[in-house]
Amino acid sequence: MSENIELFDTSNFGKTHPLYTKTNHRIVGKFKSETGSLAPLKFVGLRAKMYSLFVPHNPKECKIRAKGIKRSYVKKKVRHDQFLTVLKTLKPTPSTLISFSPQITSCGLLQLIKPVLMLLMIDDIFYRMALSPLHAVTSEFPESL
């Protein structure tokens, strides 16, 4: 990495780290480490924008990203071990999500409790097609363009 330091933004490394520099800070096209100078020990990527990076000695640097799931839920409930379980068993992680509806009733706001599948290994459209292939929407491409 030190041979190609001009390709990296190392501004999130520790100030005492030998590769620390501010020269490429926020420059478009430069690679930046999500975990700083700490190397992640494990990576699990289930699909696009749904992954987990495990850093063993610094839990604050562990990164869990799950697009489509509320950030507060991911921060409190989702762990790296769940990503590993989904990867090994190929089964989604069921959970219940509590949300409040903007509909006002006599008691106040309406609380909705709905079961959802949180971590999936496959995209949602393919999962829905596997559950009910008769209701899946397909698009056909013309044979000649």
Side-chain angles (χ1 to χ4, degrees):
M1 188 170 166
S2 60
E3 296 168 359
N4 299 318
I5 194 69
E6 70 278 357
L7 299 175
F8 298 97
D9 175 5
T10 58
S11 61
N12 63 341
F13 285 23
K15 293 191 187 247
T16 59
H17 195 278
L19 294 177
Y20 173 79
T21 181
K22 285 266 191 187
T23 56
N24 290 335
H25 181 62
R26 293 194 180 184
I27 303 224
V28 177
K30 303 298 181 185
F31 294 103
K32 186 170 188 172
S33 173
E34 287 193 43
T35 58
S37 60
L38 300 171
L41 181 66
K42 297 178 186 176
F43 169 80
V44 178
L46 297 179
R47 59 181 176 163
K49 299 182 182 179
M50 188 172 282
Y51 62 90
S52 174
L53 286 169
F54 178 73
V55 180
H57 301 296
N58 194 350
K60 288 185 178 181
E61 292 296 325
C62 293
K63 301 285 182 186
I64 294 177
R65 298 289 180 256
K67 183 182 177 188
I69 302 173
K70 291 187 177 187
R71 218 178 290 148
S72 60
Y73 185 87
V74 171
K75 190 174 183 179
K76 292 177 185 176
K77 306 262 181 165
V78 179
R79 299 290 172 253
H80 181 78
D81 296 336
Q82 291 174 313
F83 278 82
L84 284 173
T85 303
V86 170
L87 184 66
K88 290 177 183 175
T89 63
L90 302 177
K91 293 181 182 175
T93 304
S95 184
T96 55
L97 186 64
I98 300 173
S99 62
F100 293 95
S101 173
Q103 299 172 352
I104 298 176
T105 62
S106 60
C107 316
L109 290 175
L110 181 64
Q111 181 179 356
L112 300 174
I113 301 174
K114 55 183 178 179
V116 291
L117 298 174
M118 288 295 173
L119 300 177
L120 293 171
M121 177 110 176
I122 52 178
D123 288 329
D124 294 337
I125 188 68
F126 293 116
Y127 188 74
R128 278 185 253 140
M129 286 171 55
L131 288 179
S132 59
L134 296 176
H135 298 99
V137 177
T138 61
S139 58
E140 297 181 13
F141 294 100
E143 293 178 14
S144 61
L145 294 176

